[in-house]
Amino acid sequence: MNLKVFVNVKYTVSLAVLAIITLNLYSGTYLIPVFLQNVQGASALEVGLILLPATLAMAGVMPLVGKLYMRIAPQWLIVSGILLIAVGTLAIGHLDVNVSQWYITLWLTIRYIGLSLTIMPLTNVGMEAIPRELSGHASSVNNWIRQVFGSFSIALFTSLMASRLSVHNQALGLDGAAEAQRKLLKAEAFTMSSNDVYIVATLIVLVGLPLVWTLFRSKPRQERLASHKFRNVQNLTQKEQLK
């Protein structure tokens, strides 16, 4: 794996945005199944069925994103995707113990549609900035970043969850509660802690927005020079035609 790919600023920034999105993604992937099983008592099969529509929506939107990428500036696709991810994550951050499973399915689907709008254009923008001879190394780094930040995300949100769970258990008076109330209070504390995690995940993904604009703030120097040379050639050709 050739680390020279990090010299390319555009590629490095695209990796940073990708890492931020990966951090946000794993908050839902990790916590939603736990919430559904531990708090709402859903079976493993029911959890799978609840998560299935979001996955199908993501698969269905991917081909459309490929077509839109050729017609719409990629920054708009990426920004739209990040905003959908942020809105979906924020909505999931307002769970309660008796929340409808359709509510969870809806907002997970919106998050995954946002993911579809973001990942492919973001990856393409980064890879297009890399010389052909380094493209294999850049692809390897992409996969490595996803794996590393996926693992880091689980560690981060598990630690945050444990910390917030301790705070909410104490605030709800779990230690001094009667045995009949303990199960309900535990479920309430877990739900409140999950909501705190999703709020943090929302703030994390919004950090990606200003980074996206740095990708498209100006043309790379090589592109500007090539464009300038092309205009000069056009001007010379027009002058010769006038003669």
Side-chain angles (χ1 to χ4, degrees):
M1 193 163 59
N2 194 333
L3 298 183
K4 287 183 179 179
V5 294
F6 288 106
V7 174
N8 189 300
V9 176
K10 194 169 188 178
Y11 174 76
T12 303
V13 173
S14 73
L15 278 185
V17 180
L18 180 65
I20 288 168
I21 292 170
T22 301
L23 279 175
N24 176 279
L25 172 66
Y26 277 85
S27 64
T29 303
Y30 168 66
L31 285 177
I32 286 295
V34 178
F35 170 81
L36 290 170
Q37 289 185 291
N38 291 358
V39 175
Q40 296 201 331
S43 66
L45 177 61
E46 288 173 332
V47 171
L49 292 174
I50 292 168
L51 300 178
L52 181 61
T55 307
L56 293 176
M58 182 178 179
V61 170
M62 278 291 190
L64 178 61
V65 175
K67 294 179 180 179
L68 290 175
Y69 185 79
M70 305 303 295
R71 301 181 180 181
I72 300 176
Q75 61 263 42
W76 295 115
L77 292 174
I78 297 170
V79 168
S80 299
I82 289 176
L83 289 175
L84 285 178
I85 294 170
V87 169
T89 306
L90 184 63
I92 295 175
H94 290 80
L95 300 177
D96 60 68
V97 175
N98 299 312
V99 68
S100 166
Q101 293 176 350
W102 284 108
Y103 178 90
I104 295 175
T105 298
L106 171 64
W107 291 109
L108 278 179
T109 301
I110 289 174
R111 285 181 83 226
Y112 275 65
I113 290 174
L115 191 65
S116 298
L117 289 170
T118 305
I119 294 298
M120 190 276 282
L122 186 61
T123 303
N124 282 359
V125 166
M127 292 298 293
E128 285 171 357
I130 293 292
R132 182 171 296 180
E133 62 270 17
L134 293 176
S135 60
H137 297 284
S139 180
S140 298
V141 171
N142 258 344
N143 294 330
W144 178 74
I145 287 291
R146 291 186 190 184
Q147 295 297 326
V148 168
F149 277 87
S151 301
F152 176 69
S153 174
I154 292 175
L156 172 66
F157 291 127
T158 299
S159 300
L160 179 59
M161 184 74 183
S163 174
R164 298 306 299 166
L165 196 56
S166 176
V167 170
H168 289 303
N169 281 339
Q170 187 175 1
L172 293 171
L174 184 64
D175 293 336
E179 189 63 32
Q181 292 181 316
R182 288 180 67 84
K183 185 176 181 180
L184 180 60
L185 290 176
K186 282 183 179 180
E188 186 67 31
F190 185 91
T191 304
M192 294 169 69
S193 302
S194 297
N195 290 342
D196 293 341
V197 169
Y198 290 125
I199 298 301
V200 172
T202 302
L203 295 175
I204 287 174
V205 79
L206 288 175
V207 173
L209 285 177
L211 291 177
V212 171
W213 291 117
T214 65
L215 286 171
F216 305 95
R217 185 173 51 192
S218 62
K219 293 182 179 180
R221 183 174 180 271
Q222 293 82 357
E223 287 186 26
R224 292 200 302 270
L225 289 174
S227 177
H228 179 68
K229 290 179 180 178
F230 179 72
R231 285 197 299 270
N232 286 341
V233 170
Q234 280 188 320
N235 291 335
L236 289 172
T237 303
Q238 289 174 354
K239 287 179 180 178
E240 289 178 357
Q241 288 177 346
L242 289 173
K243 290 179 180 178

